């Protein structure tokens, strides 16, 4: 007799996924346009324009770091609404044109509010997904990020060609307000007073800001995100060098399609068989994609590399988030979510700066080879911090079932 699955696609799951999509869409839309705006509107230097882009991620990190501690004290829905409201208000600051320093402050505040709102959305979705479908549910939720990763840069590049920056900022403000209005409709299960009392602590403690149980798998996330940052930041420069600009414009669409088609399968596989069945192949696929990217001599090779990277990193991202939540007690789910994203954003945010120091020495092709080696070698780190533990538990469960 087939057991009835707990319902995943509830109104609240769809609602919070939609909110996350609008947040991430604004993030990626501005990521590809704000540097040009800084140069054209404020005559910023190349280094200042880079800082205008990157300081947003620093703000996001700060937001995640501190809101993870307080989200369940404040209330999950209240944190979400406050974050979305501040996100919309800070978007309005782009209309005030003073100088590049004010733009830097605006970007930092905007990132801070994104960190607050997105950590709340990640915590809420983890609480509305049934425990038996956690991997599958987080996989579907992460697809809202994947869609925004593809659609955001496309809209941003298109609008920068045919509209003004003022129009772009209006569009981002409208997206933020839509996300806020949708956020009001979500129903959230809040912690009881007894559960909230578990947060009371005296003095400064690292565990008040970082969830220790999620830290090991977050280190794996940091490593693979560091590798992926080489793609996110330098693919356009590499495409120009290889004369593959036309193909590169479709790179993230192919990446997104690969993730969208595989996530339903990999999510169910993780829930039924365990994370190891997803993670080990994903490391290999990610490394293979980076190796192929380093040797791409035509558009087809470049796009196949995009698909492999999507199958690899795209699925590792959702899988490691599911592991972080799985390892954590419900009353520390907010901290686990913020810990995961802190390390993810850390890899994506600081990776380009560090790798940028290597490029004059290695060139783009060799850089992707090195990143492929690091991606494959990350299997060892994963095995040590989680893979061997799950293998041992799975083996014991199988032996118990056989008795």
């Amino acid at each position: 007799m087939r057991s009835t699955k707990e319902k995943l696609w509830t109104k609240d799951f769809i609602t919070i996924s939609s909110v996350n999509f609008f947040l991430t869409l604004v993030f990626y839309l501005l990521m590809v346009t704000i540097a040009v705006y800084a140069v054209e509107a404020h005559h910023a230097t190349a280094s200042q324009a880079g800082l205008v882009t990157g300081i947003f991620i620093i703000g996001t990190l700060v937001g995640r770091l501190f809101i993870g501690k307080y989200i369940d004290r404040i209330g999950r829905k209240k944190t979400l609404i406050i974050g979305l409201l501040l996100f919309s208000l800070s978007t309005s600051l782009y209309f005030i044109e003073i100088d590049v320093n004010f733009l830097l402050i605006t970007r930092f505040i905007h990132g801070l509010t994104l960190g607050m709102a997105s950590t709340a959305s990640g915590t809420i979705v983890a609480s509305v997904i049934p425990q038996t479908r956690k991997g599958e549910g987080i996989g579907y939720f992460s697809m809202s990020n994947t869609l925004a990763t593809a659609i955001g840069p496309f809209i941003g590049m298109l609008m920068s060609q045919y509209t003004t920056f003022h129009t772009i900022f209006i569009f981002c403000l409208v997206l933020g307000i839509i996300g806020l209005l949708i956020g009001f409709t979500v129903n959230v299960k809040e912690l009881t007073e007894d559960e909230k009392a578990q947060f009371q602590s005296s003095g400064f403690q690292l565990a008040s800001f970082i969830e220790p149980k999620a830290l090991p798998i977050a280190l794996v996330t940091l490593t693979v995100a560091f590798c992926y940052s080489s793609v996110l930041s330098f693919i356009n420069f590499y495409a120009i060098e290889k004369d593959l600009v036309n193909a590169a414009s479709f790179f993230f669409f192919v990446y997104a399609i690969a993730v969208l088609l595989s996530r339903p399968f990999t999510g169910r596989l993780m829930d039924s068989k365990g994370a190891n069945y997803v993670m080990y192949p994903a490391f290999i696929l990610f490394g293979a994609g980076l190796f192929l990217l380093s040797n791409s001599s035509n558009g087809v090779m470049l796009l196949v590399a995009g698909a492999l990277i999507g199958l690899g990193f795209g699925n590792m991202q959702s899988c490691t988030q599911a592991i972080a939540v799985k390892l954590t007690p419900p009353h520390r789910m907010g901290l686990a979510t913020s810990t995961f994203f802190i390390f993810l954003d850390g890899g994506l945010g600081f990776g380009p700066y560090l790798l940028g120091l290597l490029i004059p020495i290695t060139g783009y092709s060799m850089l992707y080879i090195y990143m492929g080696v690091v991606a494959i070698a990350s299997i060892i780190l994963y095995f040590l911090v989680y893979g061997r533990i799950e293998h041992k538990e799975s083996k014991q469960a199988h032996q118990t079932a056989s008795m």
Side-chain angles (χ1 to χ4, degrees), residues 18 58 63 114 128 203 231 255 266 314 319 330 339 346 375 383:
S18 300
I58 296 173
L114 176 72
V128 301
V231 179
Y255 170 95
T266 55
C319 195
T339 300
F383 172 78

Side-chain angles (χ1 to χ4, degrees), residues 12-33:
D12 293 325
F13 178 77
I14 295 171
T15 299
I16 200 64
S17 296
S18 300
V19 170
N20 190 67
F21 171 75
F22 285 113
L23 284 169
T24 313
L25 185 65
V26 172
F27 166 59
Y28 280 104
L29 194 160
L30 289 177
M31 280 291 283
V32 299
T33 57

Side-chain angles (χ1 to χ4, degrees), residues 6-16 128-130:
E6 294 180 89
K7 189 176 181 180
L8 174 61
W9 291 98
T10 61
K11 180 192 78 72
D12 293 325
F13 178 77
I14 295 171
T15 299
I16 200 64
V128 301
I129 296 172

Side-chain angles (χ1 to χ4, degrees), residues 66-77 79-80 116 119-121 123-124 190 199 333-335:
F66 286 96
I67 203 59
K69 177 182 179 181
Y70 297 106
I71 182 171
D72 281 307
R73 293 183 183 180
I74 299 171
R76 294 173 180 180
K77 182 170 182 177
T79 303
L80 176 69
M116 181 178 183
T119 300
S121 67
T123 303
I124 291 169
E190 304 287 358
F199 285 99
M333 198 177 289
L335 278 173

